[in-house]
């Protein structure tokens, strides 16, 4: 290094990250297998990616939006960074309103995905906050906090400084309140990956915890549309007091088939506060709005017009039918695996089935066995955290015929 007094340095927090991101790693293993076995007919129940085409009401709205872009009188350039008023209002009135949740349209921020929003939101909080996550967990919450520098290095699959809250079959995959103080609490219900749901009482404990500890809950509700049990809350704002302590993330990806189109929303109530070192309260809404307008130029007009079509009577009915198709798949997976003697969780109010691996074999070993012997792709539970070891996640997002075939292959193992 002699001779260099200055040099460009990396953000060494990135070097703390363990291996690659989970889904590309699975993709790599599947691609390697497919290259060696070009005739293998692989059924993918790994990453939760939708297979059904977009419903007609959404396609029609997109066609109209494209036509608008083609005419000088209706062409649109940059839109508002936080999203078009027509969509923010539809979300507040038609998505949250019917559940008794009153939101102002400007508390809804439209983006191009919940992965980005759940990953980016931590930026508005100080680096000395303590992060709490469930274990297993959607890896984005953890990895983005590692990148930001809010953690130490990793040991045995866990990063120093993060509070991991174990979710196991014994606690119905709902974590106990942490014993040590925490500031940023990531919760995802219906849960990815376990498929568990949180009851009203369970969410109320968390809201109460956050209120009494001046903490914030980052509530990922990306799978709320898959809830069938009427007693289960769809939004954390159905709990009294949650407006003061919670951000909520929702996505059109799984709900309406937008994984390739991209559109999502984040709710930041104006009552939500974080604090300066001197104890002075700051509205998180203004921080996120500032961050959004500085780093984001808005989701495309076409995808926002498409999302708004979900709130029409036809759009709603068509989207519901697709969700039912996926949930029938989930039921078929549960039934087939149950009959084969597997221990299965989830898949009732969520599109993921969480399967205990047989004979105590490891998650990645079971993943490899299914890939090699049945040509079926799942997601190893260990990829979601230490407590996911010994489990495999199967996604219900596929064609019913393919799901049936996958189950027939598993029966022959
Ligand atoms: C998953 O399979 O967990 C999801 O598709 C990942 C995501 O939504 O980013």
């Amino acid at each position: 290094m002699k001779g260099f007094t200055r040099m460009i340095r990396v953000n060494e927090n990135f070097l703390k990250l363990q291996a690659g991101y989970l889904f590309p790693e699975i993709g790599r293993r599947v691609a390697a297998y497919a290259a060696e076995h070009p005739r293998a007919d692989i059924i993918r129940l790994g990453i939760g990616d939708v297979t059904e085409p977009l419903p007609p009401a959404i396609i029609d709205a997109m066609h109209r939006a494209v036509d608008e872009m083609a005419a000088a009188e209706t062409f649109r350039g940059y839109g508002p960074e936080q999203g078009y008023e027509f969509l923010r209002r539809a979300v507040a009135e038609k998505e949250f309103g019917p559940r008794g949740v009153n939101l102002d349209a400007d508390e809804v921020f439209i983006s191009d995905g919940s992965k980005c929003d759940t990953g980016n939101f931590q930026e508005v909080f100080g680096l000395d906050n303590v992060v709490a996550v469930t274990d297993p967990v959607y890896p984005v919450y953890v990895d983005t906090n590692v990148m930001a520098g809010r953690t130490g290095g990793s040991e045995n699959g866990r990063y120093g400084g993060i509070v991991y809250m174990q979710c196991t079959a014994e606690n119905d995959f709902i974590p106990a309140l942490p014993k040590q103080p925490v500031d940023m609490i990531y919760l995802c219900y219906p849960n990815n990956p376990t498929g568990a749901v949180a009851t009203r009482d369970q969410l109320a404990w968390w809201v109460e915890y956050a209120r009494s500890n001046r903490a914030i809950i980052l509530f990922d509700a990306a799978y709320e549309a898959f809830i069938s049990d009427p007693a289960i809350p769809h939004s954390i704002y159905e709990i009294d007091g949650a407006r003061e302590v919670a951000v909520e993330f929702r996505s059109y990806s799984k709900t309406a088939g937008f994984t390739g189109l991209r559109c999502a929303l984040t709710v930041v109530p104006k009552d939500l506060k974080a604090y300066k070192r001197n104890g002075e309260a700051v509205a998180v809404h203004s921080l996120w709005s500032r961050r959004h307008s500085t780093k984001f130029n808005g989701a495309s007009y076409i995808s926002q017009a498409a999302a708004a079509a979900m709130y029409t009577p036809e759009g709603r009915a068509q989207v519901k039918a697709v969700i039912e198709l996926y949930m029938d798949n989930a039921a078929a997976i549960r039934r087939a695996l149950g009959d084969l003697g597997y221990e299965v969780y989830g898949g009732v109010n969520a599109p993921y089935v969480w399967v205990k691996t047989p004979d105590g074999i490891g998650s990645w070993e079971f993943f490899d066995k299914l890939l090699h012997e049945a040509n079926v792709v799942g997601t190893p539970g260990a990829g979601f955290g230490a407590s996911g070891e010994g489990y495999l996640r199967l996604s219900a997002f596929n064609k019913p015929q393919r799901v049936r075939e996958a189950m027939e292959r598993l029966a022959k193992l």
Side-chain angles (χ1 to χ4, degrees), residues 45 108 117 124 197 362 371:
L45 305 178
V108 177
D117 283 354
V124 304
V197 280
L371 175 60

Side-chain angles (χ1 to χ4, degrees), residues 21 23 46-49 115 138 140 192 223 254 352 384 393:
Y21 185 61
F23 293 107
I47 188 166
D49 194 3
K115 182 181 186 176
Y138 178 47
V140 170
N192 180 9
Y223 299 95
K254 316 297 158 82
Y352 295 125
F384 297 100
R393 191 193 76 176

Side-chain angles (χ1 to χ4, degrees), residues 351-369:
Y352 295 125
V353 179
W354 190 237
V355 190
K356 187 108 189 75
T357 60
D359 310 322
I361 70 171
S363 296
W364 280 102
E365 200 185 328
F366 192 50
F367 165 87
D368 282 332
K369 183 177 167 67

